[in-house]
PDB file of all heavy atoms in Angstrom:
ATOM      1  N   GLU A   4       0.647   0.368  13.664  1.00 57.00           N
ATOM      2  CA  GLU A   4       2.084   0.380  13.441  1.00 57.00           C
ATOM      3  C   GLU A   4       2.658  -1.023  13.271  1.00 57.00           C
ATOM      4  O   GLU A   4       3.795  -1.173  12.834  1.00 57.00           O
ATOM      5  CB  GLU A   4       2.816   1.144  14.551  1.00 57.00           C
ATOM      6  CG  GLU A   4       2.696   0.534  15.925  1.00 57.00           C
ATOM      7  CD  GLU A   4       1.522   1.067  16.739  1.00 57.00           C
ATOM      8  OE1 GLU A   4       0.693   1.813  16.207  1.00 57.00           O
ATOM      9  OE2 GLU A   4       1.430   0.714  17.921  1.00 57.00           O
ATOM     10  N   LEU A   5       1.894  -2.068  13.608  1.00 80.00           N
ATOM     11  CA  LEU A   5       2.361  -3.430  13.413  1.00 80.00           C
ATOM     12  C   LEU A   5       2.139  -3.928  11.995  1.00 80.00           C
ATOM     13  O   LEU A   5       2.627  -4.994  11.636  1.00 80.00           O
ATOM     14  CB  LEU A   5       1.680  -4.365  14.412  1.00 80.00           C
ATOM     15  CG  LEU A   5       1.986  -4.090  15.887  1.00 80.00           C
ATOM     16  CD1 LEU A   5       1.261  -5.080  16.777  1.00 80.00           C
ATOM     17  CD2 LEU A   5       3.481  -4.130  16.146  1.00 80.00           C
ATOM     18  N   ILE A   6       1.399  -3.195  11.208  1.00 88.00           N
ATOM     19  CA  ILE A   6       1.170  -3.573   9.814  1.00 88.00           C
ATOM     20  C   ILE A   6       2.204  -2.851   8.966  1.00 88.00           C
ATOM     21  O   ILE A   6       2.377  -1.639   9.065  1.00 88.00           O
ATOM     22  CB  ILE A   6      -0.259  -3.218   9.366  1.00 88.00           C
ATOM     23  CG1 ILE A   6      -1.260  -4.003  10.207  1.00 88.00           C
ATOM     24  CG2 ILE A   6      -0.450  -3.522   7.884  1.00 88.00           C
ATOM     25  CD1 ILE A   6      -2.698  -3.628   9.937  1.00 88.00           C
ATOM     26  N   ASP A   7       2.896  -3.597   8.136  1.00 88.00           N
ATOM     27  CA  ASP A   7       3.955  -3.054   7.287  1.00 88.00           C
ATOM     28  C   ASP A   7       3.381  -1.963   6.374  1.00 88.00           C
ATOM     29  O   ASP A   7       2.509  -2.241   5.548  1.00 88.00           O
ATOM     30  CB  ASP A   7       4.563  -4.182   6.464  1.00 88.00           C
ATOM     31  CG  ASP A   7       5.637  -3.738   5.513  1.00 88.00           C
ATOM     32  OD1 ASP A   7       6.085  -2.576   5.593  1.00 88.00           O
ATOM     33  OD2 ASP A   7       6.059  -4.562   4.685  1.00 88.00           O
ATOM     34  N   PRO A   8       3.869  -0.723   6.500  1.00 89.00           N
ATOM     35  CA  PRO A   8       3.357   0.381   5.681  1.00 89.00           C
ATOM     36  C   PRO A   8       3.516   0.127   4.176  1.00 89.00           C
ATOM     37  O   PRO A   8       2.649   0.519   3.391  1.00 89.00           O
ATOM     38  CB  PRO A   8       4.191   1.584   6.113  1.00 89.00           C
ATOM     39  CG  PRO A   8       4.729   1.233   7.448  1.00 89.00           C
ATOM     40  CD  PRO A   8       4.860  -0.262   7.475  1.00 89.00           C
ATOM     41  N   ALA A   9       4.572  -0.559   3.780  1.00 91.00           N
ATOM     42  CA  ALA A   9       4.756  -0.872   2.354  1.00 91.00           C
ATOM     43  C   ALA A   9       3.664  -1.822   1.871  1.00 91.00           C
ATOM     44  O   ALA A   9       3.173  -1.701   0.744  1.00 91.00           O
ATOM     45  CB  ALA A   9       6.140  -1.473   2.116  1.00 91.00           C
ATOM     46  N   ARG A  10       3.282  -2.750   2.717  1.00 91.00           N
ATOM     47  CA  ARG A  10       2.204  -3.684   2.363  1.00 91.00           C
ATOM     48  C   ARG A  10       0.892  -2.936   2.223  1.00 91.00           C
ATOM     49  O   ARG A  10       0.119  -3.166   1.298  1.00 91.00           O
ATOM     50  CB  ARG A  10       2.092  -4.780   3.424  1.00 91.00           C
ATOM     51  CG  ARG A  10       0.958  -5.758   3.186  1.00 91.00           C
ATOM     52  CD  ARG A  10       1.250  -6.661   1.978  1.00 91.00           C
ATOM     53  NE  ARG A  10       0.085  -7.374   1.535  1.00 91.00           N
ATOM     54  CZ  ARG A  10      -0.479  -8.414   2.130  1.00 91.00           C
ATOM     55  NH1 ARG A  10       0.041  -8.894   3.225  1.00 91.00           N
ATOM     56  NH2 ARG A  10      -1.541  -8.982   1.630  1.00 91.00           N
ATOM     57  N   VAL A  11       0.618  -2.029   3.152  1.00 91.00           N
ATOM     58  CA  VAL A  11      -0.613  -1.232   3.092  1.00 91.00           C
ATOM     59  C   VAL A  11      -0.649  -0.451   1.782  1.00 91.00           C
ATOM     60  O   VAL A  11      -1.657  -0.458   1.069  1.00 91.00           O
ATOM     61  CB  VAL A  11      -0.729  -0.279   4.301  1.00 91.00           C
ATOM     62  CG1 VAL A  11      -1.903   0.673   4.127  1.00 91.00           C
ATOM     63  CG2 VAL A  11      -0.863  -1.064   5.601  1.00 91.00           C
ATOM     64  N   GLU A  12       0.442   0.213   1.447  1.00 92.00           N
ATOM     65  CA  GLU A  12       0.496   1.010   0.216  1.00 92.00           C
ATOM     66  C   GLU A  12       0.322   0.143  -1.025  1.00 92.00           C
ATOM     67  O   GLU A  12      -0.359   0.542  -1.977  1.00 92.00           O
ATOM     68  CB  GLU A  12       1.789   1.819   0.156  1.00 92.00           C
ATOM     69  CG  GLU A  12       1.821   2.949   1.159  1.00 92.00           C
ATOM     70  CD  GLU A  12       0.574   3.839   1.128  1.00 92.00           C
ATOM     71  OE1 GLU A  12       0.165   4.296   0.036  1.00 92.00           O
ATOM     72  OE2 GLU A  12       0.008   4.091   2.209  1.00 92.00           O
TER      73      GLU A  12
END
Side-chain angles (χ1 to χ4, degrees):
E4 64 268 8
L5 297 180
I6 298 174
D7 178 10
R10 177 70 194 286
V11 172
E12 289 310 310

